[in-house]
Short mmCIF file of all heavy atoms in Angstrom, two decimals:
data_model
loop_
_atom_site.label_atom_id
_atom_site.label_comp_id
_atom_site.label_asym_id
_atom_site.label_seq_id
_atom_site.Cartn_x
_atom_site.Cartn_y
_atom_site.Cartn_z
N MET A 930 28.05 20.53 28.51
CA MET A 930 28.84 19.43 28.32
C MET A 930 29.27 19.28 26.81
O MET A 930 29.02 20.28 26.10
CB MET A 930 28.07 18.07 28.65
CG MET A 930 27.62 18.10 30.02
SD MET A 930 28.88 18.26 31.21
CE MET A 930 29.20 16.45 31.51
N GLY A 931 29.72 18.19 26.33
CA GLY A 931 30.21 18.12 24.96
C GLY A 931 31.71 18.53 24.98
O GLY A 931 32.29 18.41 23.84
N ALA A 932 32.30 18.93 25.87
CA ALA A 932 33.76 19.30 25.92
C ALA A 932 34.54 18.06 25.80
O ALA A 932 34.09 17.08 26.30
CB ALA A 932 34.14 20.17 27.08
N ARG A 933 35.82 18.15 25.32
CA ARG A 933 36.56 17.01 25.22
C ARG A 933 37.18 16.75 26.62
O ARG A 933 37.27 17.64 27.42
CB ARG A 933 37.79 17.30 24.32
CG ARG A 933 37.54 17.43 22.78
CD ARG A 933 38.71 17.57 22.13
NE ARG A 933 38.37 17.97 20.65
CZ ARG A 933 39.38 17.99 19.71
NH1 ARG A 933 40.62 17.85 20.09
NH2 ARG A 933 39.12 18.33 18.49
N SER A 934 37.39 15.53 26.87
CA SER A 934 37.91 15.29 28.19
C SER A 934 39.47 15.07 28.13
O SER A 934 39.94 14.56 27.02
CB SER A 934 37.25 14.11 28.82
OG SER A 934 37.44 12.80 27.97
N CYS A 935 40.19 15.39 29.06
CA CYS A 935 41.67 15.28 29.13
C CYS A 935 42.12 13.84 29.00
O CYS A 935 41.66 12.96 29.57
CB CYS A 935 42.15 15.79 30.47
SG CYS A 935 43.88 15.65 30.62
N CYS A 936 43.03 13.64 28.13
CA CYS A 936 43.47 12.10 27.86
C CYS A 936 44.83 12.00 28.46
O CYS A 936 45.58 11.16 28.10
CB CYS A 936 43.45 11.81 26.38
SG CYS A 936 44.45 12.73 25.31
N TRP A 937 45.24 12.73 29.53
CA TRP A 937 46.52 12.47 30.19
C TRP A 937 46.33 11.11 30.93
O TRP A 937 45.48 10.99 31.73
CB TRP A 937 46.70 13.68 31.14
CG TRP A 937 48.00 13.70 31.79
CD1 TRP A 937 48.45 12.98 32.90
CD2 TRP A 937 49.27 14.31 31.27
NE1 TRP A 937 49.75 13.21 33.16
CE2 TRP A 937 50.32 14.06 32.06
CE3 TRP A 937 49.50 15.04 30.22
CZ2 TRP A 937 51.63 14.42 31.98
CZ3 TRP A 937 50.80 15.52 30.02
CH2 TRP A 937 51.94 15.25 31.00
N PRO A 938 47.41 10.26 30.81
CA PRO A 938 47.38 8.99 31.44
C PRO A 938 47.77 9.08 32.76
O PRO A 938 48.70 9.80 33.15
CB PRO A 938 48.41 8.19 30.57
CG PRO A 938 49.29 9.16 29.96
CD PRO A 938 48.61 10.45 29.87
N LEU A 939 47.04 8.50 33.66
CA LEU A 939 47.41 8.39 35.14
C LEU A 939 47.62 6.98 35.46
O LEU A 939 46.87 6.08 35.23
CB LEU A 939 46.17 8.90 35.90
CG LEU A 939 45.66 10.25 35.71
CD1 LEU A 939 44.48 10.48 36.48
CD2 LEU A 939 46.84 11.25 36.08
N GLY A 940 48.76 6.77 36.02
CA GLY A 940 49.33 5.36 36.35
C GLY A 940 50.02 4.75 35.20
O GLY A 940 50.42 5.38 34.23
N GLU A 941 50.20 3.41 35.31
CA GLU A 941 50.92 2.72 34.35
C GLU A 941 49.95 1.95 33.39
O GLU A 941 48.98 1.23 33.87
CB GLU A 941 51.81 1.71 34.96
CG GLU A 941 53.01 2.36 35.82
CD GLU A 941 53.86 3.11 34.84
OE1 GLU A 941 54.19 2.70 33.67
OE2 GLU A 941 54.35 4.22 35.36
N PRO A 942 50.12 2.14 32.11
CA PRO A 942 49.29 1.44 31.12
C PRO A 942 49.25 -0.06 31.25
O PRO A 942 50.39 -0.66 31.45
CB PRO A 942 49.77 1.83 29.76
CG PRO A 942 50.51 3.05 30.01
CD PRO A 942 50.97 2.96 31.35
N GLY A 943 48.16 -0.72 31.31
CA GLY A 943 48.14 -2.13 31.52
C GLY A 943 47.92 -2.59 32.90
O GLY A 943 47.64 -3.71 33.21
N GLU A 944 48.23 -1.63 33.92
CA GLU A 944 47.97 -2.05 35.34
C GLU A 944 46.62 -1.53 35.73
O GLU A 944 45.98 -0.70 35.21
CB GLU A 944 49.00 -1.32 36.12
CG GLU A 944 50.46 -1.70 36.04
CD GLU A 944 51.33 -1.07 37.07
OE1 GLU A 944 50.99 -0.30 37.90
OE2 GLU A 944 52.50 -1.46 36.93
N ALA A 945 46.05 -2.36 36.73
CA ALA A 945 44.84 -1.94 37.44
C ALA A 945 44.97 -0.61 37.95
O ALA A 945 45.93 -0.15 38.55
CB ALA A 945 44.53 -3.01 38.49
N GLY A 946 43.92 0.22 37.80
CA GLY A 946 43.90 1.60 38.26
C GLY A 946 44.38 2.57 37.25
O GLY A 946 44.31 3.70 37.34
N PHE A 947 44.83 2.03 36.17
CA PHE A 947 45.37 2.82 35.04
C PHE A 947 44.05 3.69 34.41
O PHE A 947 42.96 3.00 34.26
CB PHE A 947 46.08 2.30 34.03
CG PHE A 947 46.22 3.12 32.74
CD1 PHE A 947 47.46 4.18 32.74
CD2 PHE A 947 45.49 3.06 31.64
CE1 PHE A 947 47.59 4.87 31.55
CE2 PHE A 947 45.74 3.89 30.51
CZ PHE A 947 46.74 4.83 30.55
N ARG A 948 44.08 5.06 34.35
CA ARG A 948 42.95 5.61 33.74
C ARG A 948 43.43 6.91 33.07
O ARG A 948 44.58 7.43 33.36
CB ARG A 948 41.83 5.87 34.72
CG ARG A 948 42.21 6.84 35.80
CD ARG A 948 41.29 6.79 36.96
NE ARG A 948 41.61 7.85 37.96
CZ ARG A 948 41.30 9.10 37.96
NH1 ARG A 948 40.62 9.53 36.97
NH2 ARG A 948 41.74 9.99 38.85
N PHE A 949 42.58 7.58 32.37
CA PHE A 949 42.87 8.90 31.88
C PHE A 949 42.27 9.92 32.89
O PHE A 949 41.26 9.79 33.61
CB PHE A 949 42.22 9.05 30.44
CG PHE A 949 42.94 8.26 29.55
CD1 PHE A 949 42.26 7.12 29.02
CD2 PHE A 949 44.19 8.45 29.04
CE1 PHE A 949 42.87 6.30 28.10
CE2 PHE A 949 44.87 7.66 28.07
CZ PHE A 949 44.28 6.49 27.65
N CYS A 950 42.86 11.14 32.78
CA CYS A 950 42.42 12.26 33.74
C CYS A 950 40.92 12.43 33.62
O CYS A 950 40.25 12.47 34.66
CB CYS A 950 43.26 13.53 33.39
SG CYS A 950 42.65 15.01 34.21
N GLY A 951 40.42 12.78 32.48
CA GLY A 951 39.10 12.94 32.21
C GLY A 951 38.46 14.26 32.52
O GLY A 951 37.29 14.54 32.40
N ALA A 952 39.34 15.21 33.05
CA ALA A 952 38.85 16.61 33.25
C ALA A 952 38.53 17.27 31.83
O ALA A 952 39.13 16.87 30.84
CB ALA A 952 39.95 17.33 33.99
N ASP A 953 37.84 18.34 31.91
CA ASP A 953 37.52 19.17 30.71
C ASP A 953 38.88 19.65 30.05
O ASP A 953 39.74 20.22 30.71
CB ASP A 953 36.68 20.39 31.06
CG ASP A 953 35.23 20.00 31.42
OD1 ASP A 953 34.97 18.79 31.17
OD2 ASP A 953 34.62 20.79 32.01
N ALA A 954 39.10 19.27 28.78
CA ALA A 954 40.13 19.64 27.96
C ALA A 954 40.04 21.03 27.46
O ALA A 954 38.87 21.47 27.21
CB ALA A 954 40.52 18.57 27.02
N LEU A 955 41.20 21.77 27.29
CA LEU A 955 41.22 23.05 26.68
C LEU A 955 41.47 22.82 25.23
O LEU A 955 42.74 22.69 24.82
CB LEU A 955 42.24 23.93 27.36
CG LEU A 955 41.96 24.14 28.83
CD1 LEU A 955 43.11 24.94 29.43
CD2 LEU A 955 40.65 24.90 29.11
N ALA A 956 40.58 22.99 24.35
CA ALA A 956 40.69 22.92 22.87
C ALA A 956 41.76 24.01 22.41
O ALA A 956 41.70 24.97 22.98
CB ALA A 956 39.36 23.17 22.17
N PRO A 957 42.73 23.71 21.49
CA PRO A 957 42.80 22.50 20.67
C PRO A 957 43.58 21.41 21.41
O PRO A 957 43.83 20.39 20.78
CB PRO A 957 43.45 23.00 19.46
CG PRO A 957 44.25 24.06 19.97
CD PRO A 957 43.69 24.77 21.16
N LYS A 958 43.93 21.60 22.64
CA LYS A 958 44.81 20.67 23.27
C LYS A 958 44.00 19.42 23.81
O LYS A 958 42.81 19.66 24.06
CB LYS A 958 45.65 21.30 24.47
CG LYS A 958 46.62 22.30 23.98
CD LYS A 958 47.33 23.00 25.12
CE LYS A 958 48.23 23.99 24.60
NZ LYS A 958 48.56 25.05 25.43
N PRO A 959 44.64 18.39 23.84
CA PRO A 959 43.86 17.17 24.37
C PRO A 959 43.87 17.00 25.83
O PRO A 959 43.34 15.98 26.40
CB PRO A 959 44.47 16.04 23.69
CG PRO A 959 45.98 16.42 23.62
CD PRO A 959 45.94 17.97 23.48
N TYR A 960 44.42 18.08 26.62
CA TYR A 960 44.62 17.95 28.05
C TYR A 960 43.84 19.08 28.78
O TYR A 960 43.58 20.07 28.16
CB TYR A 960 46.07 18.01 28.45
CG TYR A 960 46.95 17.06 27.69
CD1 TYR A 960 48.01 17.37 26.93
CD2 TYR A 960 46.65 15.58 27.72
CE1 TYR A 960 48.79 16.40 26.25
CE2 TYR A 960 47.38 14.61 27.23
CZ TYR A 960 48.53 15.01 26.45
OH TYR A 960 49.22 14.15 25.77
N CYS A 961 43.69 18.99 29.95
CA CYS A 961 43.06 19.98 30.77
C CYS A 961 44.23 20.98 31.11
O CYS A 961 45.37 20.81 30.80
CB CYS A 961 42.64 19.34 32.09
SG CYS A 961 43.87 18.64 33.14
N ALA A 962 43.81 22.15 31.78
CA ALA A 962 44.77 23.15 32.01
C ALA A 962 45.94 22.61 32.73
O ALA A 962 47.09 22.94 32.45
CB ALA A 962 44.15 24.36 32.76
N GLU A 963 45.76 21.90 33.76
CA GLU A 963 46.87 21.35 34.59
C GLU A 963 47.84 20.48 33.76
O GLU A 963 49.10 20.77 33.90
CB GLU A 963 46.27 20.52 35.77
CG GLU A 963 47.34 19.98 36.71
CD GLU A 963 46.75 19.19 37.76
OE1 GLU A 963 45.50 19.06 37.83
OE2 GLU A 963 47.39 18.40 38.37
N HIS A 964 47.31 19.65 32.99
CA HIS A 964 48.13 18.69 32.22
C HIS A 964 48.74 19.28 30.96
O HIS A 964 49.80 18.98 30.59
CB HIS A 964 47.33 17.35 31.95
CG HIS A 964 47.15 16.57 33.22
ND1 HIS A 964 45.91 16.07 33.48
CD2 HIS A 964 47.94 16.27 34.16
CE1 HIS A 964 46.13 15.47 34.79
NE2 HIS A 964 47.36 15.54 35.15
N ALA A 965 47.98 20.29 30.39
CA ALA A 965 48.64 20.89 29.37
C ALA A 965 49.86 21.75 29.72
O ALA A 965 50.82 21.79 29.05
CB ALA A 965 47.56 21.90 28.77
N ALA A 966 49.76 22.31 30.89
CA ALA A 966 50.88 23.13 31.51
C ALA A 966 52.02 22.14 31.68
O ALA A 966 53.18 22.43 31.33
CB ALA A 966 50.53 23.73 32.80
N ILE A 967 51.84 21.05 32.14
CA ILE A 967 52.92 20.07 32.28
C ILE A 967 53.64 19.56 30.98
O ILE A 967 54.77 19.56 30.81
CB ILE A 967 52.42 18.79 33.02
CG1 ILE A 967 51.93 19.01 34.50
CG2 ILE A 967 53.52 17.65 33.15
CD1 ILE A 967 51.29 17.93 35.26
N ALA A 968 52.71 19.29 29.95
CA ALA A 968 53.16 18.89 28.75
C ALA A 968 54.05 20.06 28.14
O ALA A 968 55.08 19.89 27.45
CB ALA A 968 52.00 18.45 27.90
N TYR A 969 53.53 21.24 28.34
CA TYR A 969 54.27 22.43 27.69
C TYR A 969 55.64 22.55 28.33
O TYR A 969 56.54 22.79 27.68
CB TYR A 969 53.38 23.67 27.86
CG TYR A 969 54.06 24.92 27.46
CD1 TYR A 969 54.16 25.24 26.14
CD2 TYR A 969 54.65 25.76 28.41
CE1 TYR A 969 54.82 26.27 25.61
CE2 TYR A 969 55.32 26.93 27.97
CZ TYR A 969 55.37 27.19 26.51
OH TYR A 969 56.08 28.30 26.20
N VAL A 970 55.67 22.51 29.68
CA VAL A 970 56.96 22.63 30.43
C VAL A 970 57.90 21.62 29.90
O VAL A 970 59.15 21.82 29.68
CB VAL A 970 56.74 22.54 31.89
CG1 VAL A 970 58.06 22.38 32.64
CG2 VAL A 970 55.98 23.68 32.35
N LYS A 971 57.49 20.31 29.76
CA LYS A 971 58.38 19.31 29.38
C LYS A 971 58.96 19.47 27.97
O LYS A 971 60.13 19.38 27.75
CB LYS A 971 57.59 17.83 29.32
CG LYS A 971 57.42 17.29 30.72
CD LYS A 971 56.84 15.85 30.55
CE LYS A 971 56.72 15.18 31.97
NZ LYS A 971 56.10 13.83 31.86
N ALA A 972 58.05 19.88 27.13
CA ALA A 972 58.65 20.21 25.75
C ALA A 972 59.63 21.34 25.65
O ALA A 972 60.66 21.34 25.03
CB ALA A 972 57.37 20.54 24.85
N ARG A 973 59.34 22.29 26.57
CA ARG A 973 60.19 23.43 26.61
C ARG A 973 61.51 23.14 27.19
O ARG A 973 62.60 23.56 26.75
CB ARG A 973 59.49 24.63 27.46
CG ARG A 973 60.18 25.90 27.18
CD ARG A 973 59.25 27.03 27.94
NE ARG A 973 60.01 28.14 28.01
CZ ARG A 973 60.05 28.77 29.24
NH1 ARG A 973 59.29 28.40 30.25
NH2 ARG A 973 60.77 29.87 29.36
N ASP A 974 61.62 22.33 28.24
CA ASP A 974 62.79 21.81 28.88
C ASP A 974 63.68 21.16 27.88
O ASP A 974 64.88 21.30 27.85
CB ASP A 974 62.44 20.82 30.13
CG ASP A 974 62.08 21.75 31.20
OD1 ASP A 974 62.19 22.96 31.27
OD2 ASP A 974 61.66 21.22 32.27
N ARG A 975 63.02 20.25 27.14
CA ARG A 975 63.78 19.47 26.12
C ARG A 975 64.49 20.49 25.11
O ARG A 975 65.58 20.14 24.86
CB ARG A 975 62.87 18.49 25.38
CG ARG A 975 62.57 17.28 26.06
CD ARG A 975 61.90 16.28 25.19
NE ARG A 975 61.52 15.05 25.98
CZ ARG A 975 60.87 14.06 25.34
NH1 ARG A 975 60.59 14.13 24.12
NH2 ARG A 975 60.55 13.09 26.11
N ARG A 976 63.83 21.45 24.69
CA ARG A 976 64.36 22.28 23.74
C ARG A 976 65.57 23.04 24.33
O ARG A 976 66.64 23.20 23.72
CB ARG A 976 63.32 23.36 23.20
CG ARG A 976 62.35 22.70 22.33
CD ARG A 976 61.24 23.78 21.76
NE ARG A 976 62.06 24.67 20.86
CZ ARG A 976 61.92 24.50 19.49
NH1 ARG A 976 61.11 23.60 19.06
NH2 ARG A 976 62.53 25.28 18.58
N GLU A 977 65.43 23.54 25.62
CA GLU A 977 66.45 24.34 26.24
C GLU A 977 67.75 23.37 26.55
O GLU A 977 68.84 23.73 26.48
CB GLU A 977 66.07 24.74 27.64
CG GLU A 977 64.93 25.96 27.23
CD GLU A 977 64.29 26.57 28.51
OE1 GLU A 977 64.64 26.08 29.52
OE2 GLU A 977 63.72 27.54 28.38
N ASP A 978 67.42 22.03 26.74
CA ASP A 978 68.59 21.18 27.00
C ASP A 978 69.26 20.90 25.68
O ASP A 978 70.58 20.84 25.70
CB ASP A 978 67.88 19.74 27.38
CG ASP A 978 67.63 19.66 28.84
OD1 ASP A 978 68.10 20.60 29.53
OD2 ASP A 978 67.12 18.66 29.29
N ALA A 979 68.63 20.94 24.58
CA ALA A 979 69.31 20.69 23.30
C ALA A 979 70.12 21.85 23.03
O ALA A 979 71.09 21.65 22.15
CB ALA A 979 68.15 20.38 22.18
N ALA A 980 69.70 23.08 23.39
CA ALA A 980 70.31 24.30 22.82
C ALA A 980 71.75 24.37 23.55
O ALA A 980 72.15 23.79 24.51
CB ALA A 980 69.42 25.50 23.23
ZN1 LIG B 1399 44.11 16.32 32.87
#
């Protein structure tokens, strides 16, 4: 234990049921493998859109 937990938000902030993923995060990222991949794809798509 001692690993960081994924802070990917699930649901809508302020609504009941909102929570963070909580899976083991992959340092130095604040997200687990699944959510780090999503975050990476989103950032890459933006760059390609702008180009
Ligand atoms: Zn996650």
Side-chain angles (χ1 to χ4, degrees):
M930 301 305 265
R933 294 186 189 183
S934 56
C935 177
C936 61
W937 188 270
L939 299 174
E941 296 295 322
E944 287 187 3
F947 172 80
R948 65 188 183 89
F949 294 105
C950 169
D953 288 345
L955 299 177
K958 294 176 178 153
Y960 305 124
C961 66
E963 180 183 350
H964 290 133
I967 295 172
Y969 174 76
V970 169
K971 278 188 177 175
R973 195 166 161 234
D974 281 352
R975 279 195 186 174
R976 289 186 69 102
E977 288 177 353
D978 276 351

